[in-house]
Amino acid sequence: MSEDVVLRRRADGATELRVGGVFVMDDVETSSEEILADRAISCGARDVLVGGLGLGYTARALLASPQVQRVVVGELHRAVVEAVAAGHGAGPLEDPRLQIVLGDVRDVVAAQRPTSLDAVLLDVDNGPSALVHESNAGIYESDALADAVRVLRPGGTLAIWSMADSPTLRQLMAGFLDDVTADRVPVRLQQRDEAYWILTGTRPR
């Protein structure tokens, strides 16, 4: 495990992932990651790109759907991929439909052919207002959003996980997408009531 990526067992028995000393997620509260996957599944997505492996719960939820034919996951940290492969979090994701690509998600998106995907799901950082890596700020800016829309088929879905709602991000998304929404997801996090957000839009047909 690299110094930047730490996987630890808490006193309550949960496995927790921290990156750069910042809490990212644990294996107790995974509902928002699974709801992120449902955004793609409910729209009939077959080919999906996921930005950020985390502990593997979004990818596992996608692969549980027989309609999903291909899942490409872009993950920056090799240690995160190795941890999931070793059985932490969602556990080994051994499925021929899955391709994990090590690298910046922006490069992974850029490598996809135009209109080749039904959904792009971004869970790369804690959102534009709570960045783990300052370099990830560009993921939430116009150029990166335009590239994500470029690879979507007409009617395709872009969904972004965020620790908080972001009117600024929603406004940027609305410049490229129809029906932009921000859905609050109540969660129970280490004995506290919290909420995460999923921002979603549809590429015009």
Side-chain angles (χ1 to χ4, degrees):
M1 198 71 63
S2 73
E3 292 182 3
D4 196 39
V5 177
V6 175
L7 198 70
R8 71 184 185 98
R9 180 74 71 176
R10 293 200 308 254
D12 63 2
T15 297
E16 179 178 287
L17 175 64
R18 287 180 172 265
V19 178
V22 179
F23 173 82
V24 175
M25 69 173 298
D26 61 29
D27 61 358
V28 175
E29 178 49 74
T30 63
S31 60
S32 62
E33 286 81 10
E34 291 158 355
I35 290 171
L36 187 65
D38 187 63
R39 289 292 182 273
I41 293 168
S42 63
C43 293
R46 303 181 309 278
D47 301 298
V48 183
L49 186 147
V50 180
L53 178 62
L55 291 176
Y57 288 96
T58 298
R60 188 178 73 175
L62 288 167
L63 295 168
S65 171
Q67 83 181 21
V68 175
Q69 299 176 1
R70 179 170 64 108
V71 178
V72 179
V73 177
E75 171 54 54
L76 184 63
H77 298 286
R78 182 181 296 276
V80 170
V81 176
E82 291 174 347
V84 173
H88 298 288
L93 301 172
E94 297 173 349
D95 192 301
R97 297 172 293 167
L98 175 66
Q99 177 189 11
I100 297 179
V101 182
L102 276 170
D104 190 301
V105 67
R106 285 164 287 190
D107 296 331
V108 178
V109 171
Q112 308 304 308
R113 291 179 289 105
T115 64
S116 61
L117 298 166
D118 300 301
V120 173
L121 311 177
L122 299 180
D123 186 2
V124 177
D125 209 303
N126 280 337
S129 62
L131 293 169
V132 175
H133 294 298
E134 288 299 326
S135 60
N136 282 338
I139 292 168
Y140 307 105
E141 295 175 354
S142 291
D143 287 350
L145 294 174
D147 205 30
V149 174
R150 175 188 65 84
V151 304
L152 287 173
R153 295 176 177 125
T157 297
L158 173 63
I160 302 175
W161 187 100
S162 181
M163 198 170 183
D165 186 17
S166 172
T168 300
L169 178 55
R170 282 192 277 115
Q171 184 176 15
L172 288 173
M173 291 173 68
F176 302 100
L177 300 161
D178 292 337
D179 304 320
V180 174
T181 60
D183 296 318
R184 184 179 184 273
V185 180
V187 295
R188 184 74 176 165
L189 188 64
Q190 297 184 47
Q191 301 181 343
R192 304 189 313 274
D193 290 324
E194 302 282 355
Y196 295 143
W197 293 79
I198 297 176
L199 283 59
T200 308
T202 303
R203 176 171 176 168
R205 294 184 181 275

